Structure formats: structure tokens, C-alpha cells
Amino acid sequence: MKIGSLAIWPPLFLAPMAGLTHSALRTTLLGYGGVGLLSTEMLSAARLPVENAQLSPYLLRTAEESPLSYQLLLAEEQHVPAAFAALHRLRADAIDLNLGCPAPQVRRLGGGSRLMEEPERVRRLVACARKKTTLPLTAKIRLGETFDGDRLRNFCQMLASEGVDMLTVHARLRGEPFTRRPHWSWVAKVKNWVDIPVVANGGIDSVASARACLAQSGADGLMIGRAA
């Protein structure tokens, strides 16, 4: 699987999870094998440029943790230049934009799933981000507030047209809890709408559920979160 210039194998991705996707978990998973792309947890674009990579638990990384995607909580264009410069200094292998986090505190800051309600603002953010890096640029989204195919299609196609190299779709609506069964068939819709790789996320906790997700979604890869 190719994301921009980055080759990924196997097409299994570690999900960014707040408080969990740190160096200790990543290195533990590497001992088992089977992860094609590792991830940091969500990083604040506003704070990232002043964080100490030698001390911050969010940024600690061993040489073995590669390839590693850095997920960015980005809500304002003004934070793009310094945040992306910091990610280049940190030798990120890919950069992921968080467009799906439903946490109230994240939404109050104008980030995460709140951004899906403002597609033109997201367009400007992605265009600005794309100009600042040649690294693979990805985005993680949810299905939206409600099942609205036209709105979701337009949003996904906009992301692809502005230079996003891969989409990860958490197959739940913004307000649906993790206990709600994911809607993998909607990932198949996204897959048909865009010409970039699409990764399915949500409810993948066993070999059986992974097979079921791939069968229903036709996704290019799977992102595993809590089950990791």
C-alpha cells in the first residue's frame, strides 16, 4: 500500500488514542509485529512547536518506531507553519489531520469533528498544510452528524482534491459511542467516491471482525484502536 511516497506493509494501522498511543505501547506492539504504520496520540498544533521532544511523553520515540505518523489537532491556519516545521524536525514519516474526534473539549477548541461542519475552513487548512510539506498527508474523519451522503461525499472529495493522500474513516456518526455497531458499508461509499487509499476504523477487534469489515467496506487497510 502506498501513501504518497511511503510504502506500508502490512496495511494495518495503529490508531491515535489519547493517553495510550505512546512510545511504550508502540514498542510493545512492535515486539509482536504486524503493524504497518504506527501513530502518536493527538498532538496540539499550538503547543507542539515549544514542546521538548526529549521530555514530553507525547513525543518520546525510539529508533525502532518507524514508520511513525504524527497526528495533529489543527484548527487555525496560523499554527500550520510552526507545527509543520516542528514535525519535520521530529522526522515524522507521515502527518495525520484529526477531523473526527468527538470529545467536547476538542470541539470547543474548534478542532476534531467540529471541523467537518465547516468544509471551507477545512479546505483552507488542508491547502495550507499541503504547501508546507511533501510528507504523506492523511486525514481521519467520522461519518458526520447524520447520514448525509451528499455532504460526506463532497467533504471527502474536497480533501482528496486539496492533496490529502489517504483517508481513515471511523465508521460511526459523531454522537455514536464505541458500543454502537460501526457502519462499515459507509466506508465502501467513501472508497467509491475518492481515488486515494481509504482505511476503515471502528469495531475491529478480532480476525473475524477484520474480515467482515474488509468484506463490507472494500477498504485498502484497517486501523485498530482499543483492540491493540
Side-chain angles (χ1 to χ4, degrees):
M1 181 179 178
K2 293 274 287 186
I3 309 173
S5 59
L6 186 64
I8 303 295
W9 187 259
L12 297 175
F13 299 72
L14 175 63
M17 296 177 285
L20 291 173
T21 315
H22 41 56
S23 183
L25 177 63
R26 294 193 299 260
T27 52
T28 299
L29 292 176
L30 285 175
Y32 290 97
V35 184
L37 183 64
L38 298 162
S39 178
T40 67
E41 58 184 288
M42 182 173 60
L43 306 171
S44 166
R47 293 197 300 266
L48 180 61
V50 297
E51 288 199 67
N52 187 329
Q54 304 303 314
L55 299 176
S56 170
Y58 303 106
L59 299 180
L60 287 175
R61 174 186 184 180
T62 64
E64 292 75 24
E65 293 170 63
S66 180
L68 178 61
S69 172
Y70 285 67
Q71 196 194 58
L72 205 57
L73 174 61
L74 177 66
E76 302 291 342
E77 287 179 65
Q78 68 190 42
H79 295 140
V80 170
F84 275 64
L87 291 172
H88 291 152
R89 291 194 301 272
L90 292 166
R91 299 185 180 180
D93 296 299
I95 300 171
D96 185 61
L97 302 178
N98 184 320
L99 305 179
C101 180
Q105 63 268 34
V106 170
R107 288 176 58 82
R108 281 195 295 270
L109 293 172
S113 61
R114 178 71 179 81
L115 287 168
M116 290 189 69
E117 300 166 28
E118 299 184 66
E120 287 307 312
R121 182 180 172 198
V122 175
R123 184 191 296 275
R124 294 192 298 271
L125 284 172
V126 173
C128 185
R130 184 71 281 177
K131 290 175 184 176
K132 292 297 180 181
T133 189
T134 59
L135 290 172
L137 183 65
T138 67
K140 189 168 186 283
I141 67 172
R142 281 198 173 214
L143 298 176
E145 291 289 320
T146 61
F147 291 114
D148 186 333
D150 289 342
R151 186 179 182 89
L152 183 61
R153 181 186 66 246
N154 292 340
F155 189 79
C156 293
Q157 290 177 345
M158 175 272 291
L159 292 175
S161 70
E162 292 297 340
V164 167
D165 296 304
M166 184 191 82
L167 276 177
T168 299
V169 182
H170 183 157
R172 292 185 176 97
L173 297 172
R174 192 267 297 180
E176 290 186 313
F178 289 119
T179 53
R180 183 67 62 88
R181 193 166 186 165
H183 312 282
W184 293 326
S185 62
W186 276 80
V187 181
K189 295 177 187 288
V190 175
K191 176 68 180 165
N192 288 330
W193 291 333
V194 297
D195 294 324
I196 58 176
V198 174
V199 171
N201 173 233
I204 303 162
D205 58 9
S206 66
V207 172
S209 60
R211 286 175 174 158
C213 179
L214 287 172
Q216 293 180 38
S217 68
D220 298 289
L222 301 176
M223 178 173 281
I224 300 169
R226 293 171 298 150

